[in-house]
Amino acid sequence: MNTKRIWTAVLLSVGFFLAFLAIWHVTTHVEKTKADSITLSSDEVGQLTAAGMSETDMQIYAEKGLKFDQIEQIANMGLTHEDLEMAGGIEAFGFTTGGAAEEATTGFPSPALVWKEAYYQLSDPFYDRGPNDKGIGTQLKYSLFRVGTGFLLAVIVAVPLGFVIGMFPLLNMALMPYIQVLKPISPLAWLPVALYLIKDSEQASIFVIFVCSIWPMLINTAYGVSSTKKDWINIAKTLELSQFKTAWSVVLPAASPTILTGMRISLSIAWLVIVAAEMVIGGIGVGYFVWNEWNGLNLASMIFAIFIIGVVGLILDLILGQLVKTFTYQE
């Protein structure tokens, strides 16, 4: 692929992203509306003046739509409008404006709100303020540990077993029906079984990752090994290489791209499954973080976490994709 095509693709991709942001902004942006103002009677003005409130403050609160009893409470507190603003505004004291809200909302966070939340989260990603309030970095750390552990265990089991199945066609024919029966079962269906047998949510989530990761690697490894060209095997026999030497020097290099492709697929599935598993088991993790933010109706934080999940998944896929390219050869 030449440089011009690469840059064209990059610009097109950026254009799609900007168009997405524009549509998102338009569909979630609502113009600010001024709150309905009220008119204070002369008696009410007299009472507020007696309480020490200036006419300027009365006018400001009336334009904000505060009711008379609310304005009277502020006057009795002896606070000026400047004092309230410095303390966080009238909302900080529990006062609400009458009539229309100061800013309408569609309910779904705008790109600006999500960006603001992203800045807040990424400014201190490893904060810890209790069991249900940890930074996104801490959540990712736990999720990546579970995925990494389950995935590594799957590699240890699937690659050698797939290699043996691929080397012996009879074994392939005997075991493949069982593999094809177990493969379509949803990984989350194994979660209750794991929780019952292991009785530990952390280990149960790792087991679920192991189960969902093993099948693509096992099948791809068996296929890659069994698809090794017979000519290469015959050459190895001509050179009187042992079966182990043939497997190591001929079959493994030939099957490596297919094996790594299976690992790439497995890792993507594992990252997808851990989010759902953590929503079920709770505790700490990016999946639970998304669910917890939804329960708290913090949609901006939830959307930010979803983007983070996608970015991490992309990075993991790029790493495995680069490995596939490294071990892929031209015949």
Side-chain angles (χ1 to χ4, degrees), residues 59-141:
Q59 184 178 0
I60 291 173
Y61 296 136
E63 289 178 352
K64 285 181 176 290
L66 267 68
K67 297 178 181 178
F68 170 72
D69 58 342
Q70 293 176 317
I71 301 175
E72 188 178 30
Q73 290 181 45
I74 296 174
N76 292 332
M77 292 167 63
L79 298 174
T80 65
H81 178 257
E82 289 77 9
D83 294 333
L84 285 178
E85 289 300 314
M86 291 179 63
I90 58 175
E91 292 83 2
F93 288 82
F95 298 114
T96 57
T97 59
E102 189 170 305
E103 183 174 3
T105 176
T106 61
F108 196 83
S110 65
L113 285 176
V114 175
W115 176 258
K116 183 178 179 181
E117 181 65 27
Y119 178 80
Y120 169 75
Q121 291 285 348
L122 295 177
S123 61
D124 186 13
F126 296 99
Y127 72 81
D128 187 351
R129 303 191 187 109
N132 293 326
D133 192 9
K134 299 182 186 295
I136 190 67
T138 302
Q139 309 285 354
L140 283 173
K141 181 176 67 174

Side-chain angles (χ1 to χ4, degrees), residues 96-275:
T96 57
T97 59
E102 189 170 305
E103 183 174 3
T105 176
T106 61
F108 196 83
S110 65
L113 285 176
V114 175
W115 176 258
K116 183 178 179 181
E117 181 65 27
Y119 178 80
Y120 169 75
Q121 291 285 348
L122 295 177
S123 61
D124 186 13
F126 296 99
Y127 72 81
D128 187 351
R129 303 191 187 109
N132 293 326
D133 192 9
K134 299 182 186 295
I136 190 67
T138 302
Q139 309 285 354
L140 283 173
K141 181 176 67 174
Y142 277 82
S143 295
L144 287 170
F145 171 77
R146 293 175 184 130
V147 169
T149 304
F151 179 76
L152 183 60
L153 291 173
V155 170
I156 293 172
V157 174
V159 174
L161 182 58
F163 207 94
V164 173
I165 292 174
M167 290 288 289
F168 300 98
L170 185 62
L171 195 59
N172 191 340
M173 293 174 62
L175 293 179
M176 196 53 66
Y178 297 102
I179 295 173
Q180 293 299 338
V181 168
L182 294 172
K183 180 171 69 75
I185 299 175
S186 170
L188 292 181
W190 292 102
L191 187 57
V193 178
L195 287 171
Y196 177 77
L197 295 176
I198 303 174
K199 295 179 174 59
D200 182 89
S201 59
E202 180 75 16
Q203 296 180 19
S205 62
I206 293 174
F207 174 78
V208 169
I209 297 302
F210 168 80
V211 170
C212 76
S213 300
I214 194 171
W215 308 122
M217 277 189 283
L218 182 62
I219 293 172
N220 272 46
T221 301
Y223 175 78
V225 170
S226 63
S227 300
T228 303
K229 289 188 175 183
K230 300 302 179 185
D231 292 343
W232 298 349
I233 303 295
N234 292 333
I235 292 173
K237 289 179 179 178
T238 302
L239 296 174
E240 297 183 352
L241 297 180
S242 65
Q243 194 167 20
F244 175 79
K245 189 72 172 178
T246 300
W248 181 260
S249 302
V250 179
V251 178
L252 181 59
S256 291
T258 309
I259 295 172
L260 288 170
T261 299
M263 294 172 65
R264 184 180 183 181
I265 296 171
S266 292
L267 188 58
S268 297
I269 295 174
W271 185 242
L272 184 150
V273 168
I274 192 61
V275 174

Side-chain angles (χ1 to χ4, degrees), residues 26-30 104-110:
V26 170
T27 55
T28 56
H29 177 71
V30 179
T105 176
T106 61
F108 196 83
S110 65

Side-chain angles (χ1 to χ4, degrees), residues 278-299:
E278 288 173 345
M279 287 182 178
V280 176
I281 64 174
I284 306 174
V286 69
Y288 176 71
F289 180 81
V290 171
W291 192 248
N292 193 48
E293 295 305 294
W294 159 247
N295 287 332
L297 294 180
N298 189 353
L299 298 184

